[in-house]
Amino acid sequence: MNSELYLSDLEAKPGALRSLAAVLREENPFAALPQGLTRVLFLGMGSSRYAAGVAALRLRAAGIDAYADYASAAATYPATEGTLVVPISATGTSRETLDATERYAAGPSFLAALTNSPDSPLAQAADLVVGMRAGEERGGVACRTFQHTLALLLALEAHLTGTGRDVAGLLERAAEATEDLLDRRDEWLPPTMELLDGEHGVYTIAPAERLSSAEQSALMFREGPRRPADACESGDWSHVDVYLTKTLDYRAVLFPGSRYDGQAMEWVRERGSTVVAVGAEVKGATAAVRYVHDSEPDVALLTETLVAELVAASWWSAS
Protein backbone atom coordinates (compact mmCIF):
# COMPACT_ATOMS: atom_id res chain seq x y z
CA MET A 1 0.00 0.00 0.00
CA ASN A 2 1.28 3.43 -0.98
CA SER A 3 -0.34 6.78 -0.13
CA GLU A 4 1.01 8.67 -3.15
CA LEU A 5 -0.12 5.98 -5.57
CA TYR A 6 -3.48 5.87 -3.80
CA LEU A 7 -3.90 9.57 -4.51
CA SER A 8 -3.02 8.93 -8.15
CA ASP A 9 -5.66 6.21 -8.24
CA LEU A 10 -8.24 8.71 -6.99
CA GLU A 11 -7.20 11.31 -9.55
CA ALA A 12 -7.71 8.75 -12.31
CA LYS A 13 -11.37 8.19 -11.39
CA PRO A 14 -12.98 10.52 -13.97
CA GLY A 15 -11.10 9.01 -16.90
CA ALA A 16 -11.83 5.47 -15.77
CA LEU A 17 -15.54 6.24 -15.38
CA ARG A 18 -15.72 7.74 -18.84
CA SER A 19 -14.01 4.68 -20.29
CA LEU A 20 -16.55 2.41 -18.61
CA ALA A 21 -19.38 4.63 -19.85
CA ALA A 22 -18.09 4.24 -23.40
CA VAL A 23 -18.09 0.45 -23.02
CA LEU A 24 -21.65 0.43 -21.70
CA ARG A 25 -22.80 2.50 -24.65
CA GLU A 26 -21.55 -0.24 -26.97
CA GLU A 27 -22.50 -3.39 -25.07
CA ASN A 28 -24.59 -4.85 -22.27
CA PRO A 29 -22.20 -6.88 -20.10
CA PHE A 30 -25.15 -8.85 -18.70
CA ALA A 31 -26.75 -9.75 -22.01
CA ALA A 32 -25.71 -13.40 -21.66
CA LEU A 33 -27.63 -13.94 -18.41
CA PRO A 34 -30.24 -16.69 -18.74
CA GLN A 35 -33.97 -16.04 -18.81
CA GLY A 36 -36.23 -17.05 -15.94
CA LEU A 37 -34.11 -15.85 -13.05
CA THR A 38 -36.12 -15.71 -9.82
CA ARG A 39 -33.48 -14.74 -7.27
CA VAL A 40 -30.21 -12.80 -7.12
CA LEU A 41 -27.58 -13.57 -4.49
CA PHE A 42 -24.55 -11.30 -4.14
CA LEU A 43 -21.46 -12.58 -2.34
CA GLY A 44 -18.47 -10.50 -1.28
CA MET A 45 -16.36 -9.03 1.46
CA GLY A 46 -15.45 -5.47 2.42
CA SER A 47 -16.09 -2.89 -0.31
CA SER A 48 -17.62 -5.54 -2.55
CA ARG A 49 -20.25 -6.37 0.05
CA TYR A 50 -20.94 -2.70 0.74
CA ALA A 51 -21.81 -2.13 -2.91
CA ALA A 52 -23.79 -5.37 -3.10
CA GLY A 53 -25.93 -4.41 -0.12
CA VAL A 54 -27.16 -1.28 -1.88
CA ALA A 55 -27.74 -3.21 -5.12
CA ALA A 56 -29.79 -5.87 -3.34
CA LEU A 57 -31.95 -3.24 -1.64
CA ARG A 58 -32.62 -1.54 -4.97
CA LEU A 59 -33.59 -4.82 -6.63
CA ARG A 60 -35.96 -5.71 -3.80
CA ALA A 61 -37.58 -2.30 -4.18
CA ALA A 62 -38.12 -3.18 -7.84
CA GLY A 63 -39.83 -6.43 -6.87
CA ILE A 64 -36.89 -8.78 -7.41
CA ASP A 65 -35.88 -11.28 -4.73
CA ALA A 66 -32.30 -10.20 -4.00
CA TYR A 67 -29.91 -10.53 -1.09
CA ALA A 68 -26.30 -9.59 -0.34
CA ASP A 69 -24.42 -11.87 2.00
CA TYR A 70 -20.99 -12.08 3.55
CA ALA A 71 -19.02 -14.52 1.44
CA SER A 72 -17.67 -15.82 4.75
CA ALA A 73 -21.12 -16.94 5.95
CA ALA A 74 -21.19 -20.67 6.63
CA ALA A 75 -24.47 -21.01 4.74
CA THR A 76 -26.85 -18.89 2.71
CA TYR A 77 -29.37 -19.58 -0.07
CA PRO A 78 -28.98 -23.04 -1.60
CA ALA A 79 -27.91 -23.59 -5.18
CA THR A 80 -31.18 -23.74 -7.11
CA GLU A 81 -32.25 -23.30 -10.68
CA GLY A 82 -33.31 -19.73 -11.34
CA THR A 83 -30.83 -18.28 -8.83
CA LEU A 84 -28.26 -15.83 -10.15
CA VAL A 85 -25.18 -15.86 -7.92
CA VAL A 86 -22.93 -12.81 -8.28
CA PRO A 87 -19.60 -13.22 -6.47
CA ILE A 88 -17.71 -9.92 -6.34
CA SER A 89 -13.96 -9.54 -5.86
CA ALA A 90 -11.76 -6.90 -7.45
CA THR A 91 -8.70 -9.14 -7.38
CA GLY A 92 -10.64 -12.33 -8.01
CA THR A 93 -8.59 -13.98 -5.28
CA SER A 94 -10.53 -13.20 -2.11
CA ARG A 95 -10.38 -16.44 -0.15
CA GLU A 96 -13.83 -16.11 1.36
CA THR A 97 -15.45 -15.30 -1.99
CA LEU A 98 -13.72 -18.19 -3.71
CA ASP A 99 -14.82 -20.57 -0.95
CA ALA A 100 -18.41 -19.36 -1.22
CA THR A 101 -18.33 -19.67 -5.00
CA GLU A 102 -17.39 -23.33 -4.74
CA ARG A 103 -20.83 -24.09 -3.31
CA TYR A 104 -22.43 -22.96 -6.56
CA ALA A 105 -19.82 -23.96 -9.15
CA ALA A 106 -21.45 -27.30 -9.94
CA GLY A 107 -24.82 -25.70 -10.70
CA PRO A 108 -27.70 -25.41 -11.19
CA SER A 109 -27.38 -21.73 -10.20
CA PHE A 110 -25.85 -19.38 -12.76
CA LEU A 111 -22.56 -17.76 -11.69
CA ALA A 112 -21.79 -14.24 -12.94
CA ALA A 113 -18.51 -13.03 -11.45
CA LEU A 114 -17.76 -9.33 -11.12
CA THR A 115 -14.01 -8.79 -10.99
CA ASN A 116 -11.24 -6.46 -12.11
CA SER A 117 -9.04 -9.49 -12.95
CA PRO A 118 -10.53 -11.46 -15.85
CA ASP A 119 -7.86 -14.18 -15.58
CA SER A 120 -8.31 -14.71 -11.84
CA PRO A 121 -9.47 -17.90 -10.10
CA LEU A 122 -12.88 -16.33 -9.54
CA ALA A 123 -13.28 -15.63 -13.25
CA GLN A 124 -12.29 -19.19 -14.11
CA ALA A 125 -15.06 -20.57 -11.89
CA ALA A 126 -17.84 -18.43 -13.38
CA ASP A 127 -20.35 -18.97 -16.17
CA LEU A 128 -20.11 -15.28 -17.06
CA VAL A 129 -17.33 -12.82 -16.24
CA VAL A 130 -18.09 -9.09 -16.04
CA GLY A 131 -14.94 -7.02 -15.91
CA MET A 132 -14.88 -3.93 -13.71
CA ARG A 133 -12.54 -2.15 -16.14
CA ALA A 134 -11.21 0.03 -13.32
CA GLY A 135 -7.55 -0.34 -14.27
CA GLU A 136 -4.75 -1.20 -11.88
CA GLU A 137 -5.07 0.29 -8.41
CA ARG A 138 -1.39 0.80 -7.75
CA GLY A 139 -2.00 2.26 -4.29
CA GLY A 140 -3.28 -1.08 -3.09
CA VAL A 141 -6.66 0.28 -1.92
CA ALA A 142 -10.03 -0.50 -3.51
CA CYS A 143 -11.30 2.89 -4.64
CA ARG A 144 -11.93 2.85 -8.40
CA THR A 145 -12.99 -0.79 -8.20
CA PHE A 146 -15.58 0.14 -5.56
CA GLN A 147 -16.94 2.89 -7.79
CA HIS A 148 -17.02 0.61 -10.84
CA THR A 149 -18.68 -2.18 -8.85
CA LEU A 150 -21.53 0.18 -8.00
CA ALA A 151 -21.73 1.32 -11.62
CA LEU A 152 -21.94 -2.20 -12.99
CA LEU A 153 -24.49 -3.25 -10.39
CA LEU A 154 -26.63 -0.34 -11.59
CA ALA A 155 -26.23 -1.75 -15.10
CA LEU A 156 -27.32 -5.16 -13.80
CA GLU A 157 -30.37 -3.56 -12.20
CA ALA A 158 -31.27 -1.91 -15.51
CA HIS A 159 -30.93 -5.27 -17.28
CA LEU A 160 -32.99 -7.27 -14.79
CA THR A 161 -35.76 -4.68 -14.49
CA GLY A 162 -35.83 -3.91 -18.21
CA THR A 163 -35.92 -0.17 -17.61
CA GLY A 164 -33.56 0.69 -20.44
CA ARG A 165 -31.92 3.24 -18.18
CA ASP A 166 -29.02 5.24 -19.60
CA VAL A 167 -26.38 4.07 -17.13
CA ALA A 168 -23.61 5.36 -19.39
CA GLY A 169 -25.05 8.87 -19.15
CA LEU A 170 -25.18 8.54 -15.37
CA LEU A 171 -21.51 7.55 -15.31
CA GLU A 172 -20.59 10.57 -17.39
CA ARG A 173 -22.33 12.86 -14.90
CA ALA A 174 -20.58 11.05 -12.05
CA ALA A 175 -17.27 11.64 -13.84
CA GLU A 176 -18.08 15.35 -14.02
CA ALA A 177 -18.96 15.38 -10.32
CA THR A 178 -15.78 13.52 -9.40
CA GLU A 179 -13.73 15.89 -11.53
CA ASP A 180 -15.35 18.89 -9.87
CA LEU A 181 -14.37 17.68 -6.40
CA LEU A 182 -10.83 16.98 -7.55
CA ASP A 183 -10.44 20.33 -9.32
CA ARG A 184 -11.68 22.33 -6.32
CA ARG A 185 -10.02 20.33 -3.57
CA ASP A 186 -7.81 23.26 -2.54
CA GLU A 187 -11.01 25.05 -1.50
CA TRP A 188 -12.80 22.38 0.49
CA LEU A 189 -10.21 19.78 1.51
CA PRO A 190 -8.09 21.73 4.08
CA PRO A 191 -11.06 22.95 6.16
CA THR A 192 -12.72 19.53 5.96
CA MET A 193 -9.56 17.82 7.19
CA GLU A 194 -9.35 20.24 10.11
CA LEU A 195 -12.98 19.75 11.10
CA LEU A 196 -12.74 15.94 11.05
CA ASP A 197 -9.38 15.73 12.81
CA GLY A 198 -10.36 14.72 16.34
CA GLU A 199 -8.97 12.45 19.01
CA HIS A 200 -11.86 9.98 18.85
CA GLY A 201 -11.88 9.19 15.14
CA VAL A 202 -14.44 9.83 12.43
CA TYR A 203 -18.01 8.60 12.09
CA THR A 204 -19.88 8.35 8.81
CA ILE A 205 -23.65 8.48 8.32
CA ALA A 206 -25.74 7.69 5.23
CA PRO A 207 -29.30 6.63 4.32
CA ALA A 208 -29.93 2.93 3.76
CA GLU A 209 -30.15 3.53 0.02
CA ARG A 210 -26.54 4.78 0.01
CA LEU A 211 -25.20 3.04 3.11
CA SER A 212 -22.22 1.88 1.06
CA SER A 213 -20.99 5.50 1.04
CA ALA A 214 -20.73 5.55 4.83
CA GLU A 215 -19.22 2.06 4.98
CA GLN A 216 -16.63 2.71 2.29
CA SER A 217 -15.70 6.10 3.76
CA ALA A 218 -15.14 4.63 7.21
CA LEU A 219 -13.02 1.88 5.65
CA MET A 220 -10.85 4.46 3.89
CA PHE A 221 -10.12 6.21 7.20
CA ARG A 222 -9.14 2.87 8.73
CA GLU A 223 -7.23 1.41 5.81
CA GLY A 224 -5.00 4.30 4.81
CA PRO A 225 -4.27 6.59 7.78
CA ARG A 226 -5.29 3.86 10.28
CA ARG A 227 -7.75 6.06 12.14
CA PRO A 228 -10.73 4.83 14.16
CA ALA A 229 -13.87 5.10 12.04
CA ASP A 230 -17.29 3.51 11.89
CA ALA A 231 -20.40 3.78 9.72
CA CYS A 232 -24.06 4.11 10.66
CA GLU A 233 -27.38 4.29 8.79
CA SER A 234 -29.10 7.66 9.18
CA GLY A 235 -32.30 6.49 10.86
CA ASP A 236 -30.52 3.91 12.97
CA TRP A 237 -28.13 6.60 14.19
CA SER A 238 -30.66 7.85 16.75
CA HIS A 239 -30.83 4.32 18.18
CA VAL A 240 -27.19 3.25 18.20
CA ASP A 241 -24.70 6.12 17.75
CA VAL A 242 -26.41 9.07 19.38
CA TYR A 243 -24.90 8.04 22.72
CA LEU A 244 -21.40 8.81 21.49
CA THR A 245 -22.18 12.51 21.10
CA LYS A 246 -22.52 12.85 24.88
CA THR A 247 -19.06 11.57 25.80
CA LEU A 248 -16.79 11.86 22.74
CA ASP A 249 -15.38 14.63 20.62
CA TYR A 250 -17.83 13.39 18.00
CA ARG A 251 -16.94 14.27 14.41
CA ALA A 252 -18.89 12.90 11.49
CA VAL A 253 -19.37 12.94 7.74
CA LEU A 254 -23.06 13.05 6.84
CA PHE A 255 -24.28 11.96 3.42
CA PRO A 256 -27.73 13.60 3.40
CA GLY A 257 -30.89 12.25 1.83
CA SER A 258 -32.66 10.38 4.63
CA ARG A 259 -36.00 11.57 5.97
CA TYR A 260 -34.37 11.09 9.38
CA ASP A 261 -31.44 13.48 8.89
CA GLY A 262 -33.23 16.16 10.90
CA GLN A 263 -33.78 13.80 13.82
CA ALA A 264 -30.06 13.08 14.04
CA MET A 265 -29.09 16.71 13.58
CA GLU A 266 -31.23 17.78 16.54
CA TRP A 267 -28.93 15.79 18.80
CA VAL A 268 -25.86 17.08 16.98
CA ARG A 269 -26.90 20.69 17.54
CA GLU A 270 -27.85 20.07 21.16
CA ARG A 271 -24.51 18.48 22.01
CA GLY A 272 -22.25 20.65 19.87
CA SER A 273 -20.87 17.84 17.72
CA THR A 274 -19.05 18.47 14.45
CA VAL A 275 -20.69 17.32 11.22
CA VAL A 276 -19.54 17.87 7.65
CA ALA A 277 -22.37 17.36 5.17
CA VAL A 278 -21.48 16.13 1.68
CA GLY A 279 -23.70 17.01 -1.25
CA ALA A 280 -26.26 19.30 0.42
CA GLU A 281 -26.66 22.09 2.94
CA VAL A 282 -27.91 20.64 6.23
CA LYS A 283 -29.19 22.66 9.18
CA GLY A 284 -26.77 22.30 12.07
CA ALA A 285 -23.86 20.99 10.02
CA THR A 286 -20.57 22.78 10.61
CA ALA A 287 -19.77 22.80 6.90
CA ALA A 288 -20.98 21.42 3.58
CA VAL A 289 -19.00 20.10 0.62
CA ARG A 290 -20.90 20.53 -2.65
CA TYR A 291 -20.21 19.37 -6.18
CA VAL A 292 -21.93 19.44 -9.59
CA HIS A 293 -24.94 17.11 -9.97
CA ASP A 294 -25.01 16.47 -6.20
CA SER A 295 -28.82 16.75 -6.18
CA GLU A 296 -29.04 13.47 -8.16
CA PRO A 297 -29.01 10.55 -5.68
CA ASP A 298 -27.34 8.06 -8.03
CA VAL A 299 -24.59 10.53 -8.91
CA ALA A 300 -24.07 10.94 -5.17
CA LEU A 301 -23.95 7.16 -4.75
CA LEU A 302 -21.10 6.97 -7.27
CA THR A 303 -19.26 10.13 -6.22
CA GLU A 304 -19.57 11.15 -2.59
CA THR A 305 -17.03 8.74 -1.09
CA LEU A 306 -14.31 10.75 -2.83
CA VAL A 307 -14.54 13.36 -0.05
CA ALA A 308 -13.52 10.83 2.59
CA GLU A 309 -11.01 9.22 0.23
CA LEU A 310 -9.18 12.50 -0.32
CA VAL A 311 -9.20 13.33 3.39
CA ALA A 312 -7.84 9.86 4.10
CA ALA A 313 -5.17 10.22 1.40
CA SER A 314 -3.98 13.51 2.91
CA TRP A 315 -3.86 12.17 6.46
CA TRP A 316 -2.10 9.05 5.24
CA SER A 317 0.57 11.05 3.41
CA ALA A 318 1.11 13.28 6.43
CA SER A 319 1.64 10.29 8.68
Side-chain angles (χ1 to χ4, degrees):
M1 293 171 60
N2 182 292
S3 61
E4 292 183 2
L5 294 178
Y6 170 56
L7 179 58
S8 296
D9 288 338
L10 297 177
E11 292 171 336
K13 275 189 169 190
L17 274 178
R18 290 189 173 104
S19 294
L20 179 58
V23 170
L24 294 182
R25 288 213 181 278
E26 297 297 324
E27 64 182 63
N28 173 6
F30 299 100
L33 290 181
Q35 298 294 315
L37 295 171
T38 58
R39 172 180 291 152
V40 181
L41 173 62
F42 298 104
L43 298 169
M45 302 298 292
S47 298
S48 298
R49 186 183 60 80
Y50 302 159
V54 167
L57 177 62
R58 293 173 67 104
L59 287 175
R60 290 196 299 274
I64 296 174
D65 183 11
Y67 186 68
D69 208 349
Y70 288 91
S72 57
T76 182
Y77 286 114
T80 57
E81 189 173 352
T83 296
L84 170 63
V85 180
V86 185
I88 306 170
S89 171
T91 63
T93 59
S94 170
R95 177 181 175 183
E96 299 87 353
T97 304
L98 289 173
D99 288 347
T101 299
E102 283 185 9
R103 298 197 291 265
Y104 301 94
S109 298
F110 190 90
L111 272 170
L114 185 53
T115 180
N116 203 41
S117 304
D119 298 323
S120 64
L122 180 62
Q124 294 169 15
D127 299 306
L128 172 67
V129 179
V130 178
M132 293 178 182
R133 298 176 182 267
E136 180 186 3
E137 290 175 318
R138 297 186 302 150
V141 177
C143 53
R144 289 201 309 272
T145 50
F146 170 73
Q147 191 176 43
H148 284 224
T149 297
L150 285 168
L152 287 163
L153 292 179
L154 290 173
L156 174 61
E157 176 190 328
H159 173 82
L160 293 176
T161 58
T163 60
R165 184 180 186 187
D166 181 12
V167 178
L170 169 64
L171 299 194
E172 288 167 355
R173 295 192 298 280
E176 292 171 358
T178 301
E179 207 162 48
D180 182 46
L181 281 171
L182 286 166
D183 290 346
R184 294 186 302 102
R185 74 186 101 164
D186 287 346
E187 301 173 12
W188 64 263
L189 183 55
T192 300
M193 290 172 56
E194 183 177 353
L195 288 171
L196 296 178
D197 189 7
E199 61 177 324
H200 297 133
V202 186
Y203 296 84
T204 57
I205 310 165
E209 295 76 12
R210 304 198 322 274
L211 184 58
S212 59
S213 295
E215 293 172 319
Q216 176 73 1
S217 295
L219 175 59
M220 293 300 96
F221 292 132
R222 294 192 299 266
E223 189 169 358
R226 302 292 202 266
R227 297 212 180 190
D230 199 17
C232 190
E233 194 275 332
S234 304
D236 212 24
W237 186 93
S238 297
H239 300 270
V240 299
D241 270 16
V242 62
Y243 311 105
L244 300 176
T245 60
K246 191 172 183 65
T247 56
L248 301 184
D249 177 14
Y250 186 85
R251 300 177 186 233
V253 178
L254 172 68
F255 300 105
S258 170
R259 63 186 296 185
Y260 302 109
D261 287 342
Q263 178 175 267
M265 292 306 298
E266 286 180 12
W267 287 105
V268 165
R269 291 192 297 272
E270 180 179 318
R271 294 180 174 172
S273 301
T274 300
V275 170
V276 175
V278 175
E281 305 292 333
V282 176
K283 182 181 178 181
T286 312
V289 179
R290 304 298 303 271
Y291 52 90
V292 297
H293 308 307
D294 61 12
S295 62
E296 187 175 345
D298 286 350
V299 170
L301 176 68
L302 293 168
T303 305
E304 58 196 359
T305 57
L306 181 61
V307 172
E309 288 169 330
L310 287 171
V311 171
S314 299
W315 282 345
W316 188 6
S317 295
S319 64

